Amino acid sequence: GHNDVNDLEVVLLIDTSGSMSGNIEDVSRFTWAVKRALDSIDASTTVLTYDFEVEVLFTADQKATRNEYTAMKAKGGTSGSDALTTAKRVLDVSKRTHKIIITMTDGSWHDSLESEKIIRQLNKDGCHTALAYLSGYKMEEERKKAYTRSQQINHCCQTATVVADGKELAEFASNVVKNVMKETIKGKRG
């Protein structure tokens, strides 16, 4: 079987609405880097993009090729619920021990009530929910913490932060995965 610690099912949800156009290149590159890193530890990783529609950028079976990232296109509005429903379907059928959903957005969702209902269900189902809010500028830690306490920003996710760019998004994703793996190790000792 799988090594329990790395027995991960991860879904990355990337906002590709029109307002993302200034950051889409950067976010495309770093999403690819996160997918590559997760592939390398044998995590089953699906990448979905969402605006008014949901598109599969990578299925769990597809590996991110070595030197080529897929450029995303920014268009439309921000609707989280269809993307979350699709992600939930992936997580529901997974036999993996640990399930993580990492969402990246730069704005509020048109359907935040519906989206938050799905996130609360994912939390209840034992999935770790995380959200990175792309502000486009650097913020000091205290301000980030205060900012992400707002439900409008965290959308009921267990972990939330503000990221300035794709690099910070990749660091956040990496930390979320490491913390879930650390909890597993602690749980084994306890």
Side-chain angles (χ1 to χ4, degrees):
H2 282 279
N3 173 346
D4 227 23
V5 177
N6 290 3
D7 198 16
L8 299 166
E9 186 73 51
V10 182
V11 181
L12 297 174
L13 293 182
I14 307 297
D15 178 347
T16 51
S17 61
S19 59
M20 285 292 297
S21 61
N23 295 302
I24 205 72
E25 180 80 16
D26 184 45
V27 168
S28 295
R29 254 198 325 273
F30 282 99
T31 300
W32 168 83
V34 170
K35 167 73 172 153
R36 291 252 326 144
L38 289 166
D39 286 350
S40 76
I41 63 164
D42 213 24
S44 176
T45 310
T46 303
V47 182
L48 304 172
T49 62
Y50 67 99
D51 39 69
F52 276 140
E53 298 172 311
V54 181
E55 287 177 40
V56 179
L57 193 65
F58 290 104
T59 64
D61 302 329
Q62 288 174 304
K63 298 288 175 229
T65 51
R66 222 176 92 216
N67 296 316
E68 244 173 72
Y69 69 92
T70 308
M72 302 177 216
K73 300 218 179 341
K75 62 189 183 339
T78 317
S79 173
S81 65
D82 289 347
L84 286 159
T85 300
T86 305
K88 189 175 179 328
R89 261 186 243 127
V90 170
L91 296 166
D92 284 347
V93 300
S94 171
K95 302 276 184 267
R96 298 278 180 135
T97 312
H98 307 288
K99 299 174 183 187
I100 304 172
I101 185 165
I102 301 171
T103 306
M104 197 280 314
T105 187
D106 73 337
S108 55
W109 296 335
H110 300 301
D111 56 352
S112 56
L113 288 176
E114 182 58 29
S115 297
E116 287 163 10
K117 206 165 90 185
I118 299 164
I119 291 168
R120 281 195 295 273
Q121 187 58 54
L122 286 161
N123 290 339
K124 229 186 340 208
D125 293 346
C127 172
H128 186 89
T129 55
L131 185 134
Y133 181 84
L134 182 71
S135 66
Y137 56 91
K138 298 246 181 247
M139 261 188 215
E140 62 280 1
E141 275 318 300
E142 277 316 298
R143 190 139 166 248
K144 272 186 192 183
K145 280 188 189 125
Y147 201 64
T148 52
R149 273 189 213 108
S150 142
Q151 188 175 324
Q152 278 175 299
I153 301 300
N154 69 35
H155 290 295
C156 302
C157 287
Q158 294 159 327
T159 312
T161 194
V162 179
V163 295
D165 53 28
K167 184 171 184 280
E168 286 188 5
L169 168 67
E171 286 164 5
F172 173 67
S174 169
N175 289 334
V176 167
V177 170
K178 281 180 190 152
N179 288 338
V180 168
M181 287 162 51
K182 240 187 261 163
E183 287 304 306
T184 307
I185 295 165
K186 251 196 261 167
K188 290 219 170 322
R189 281 195 219 117

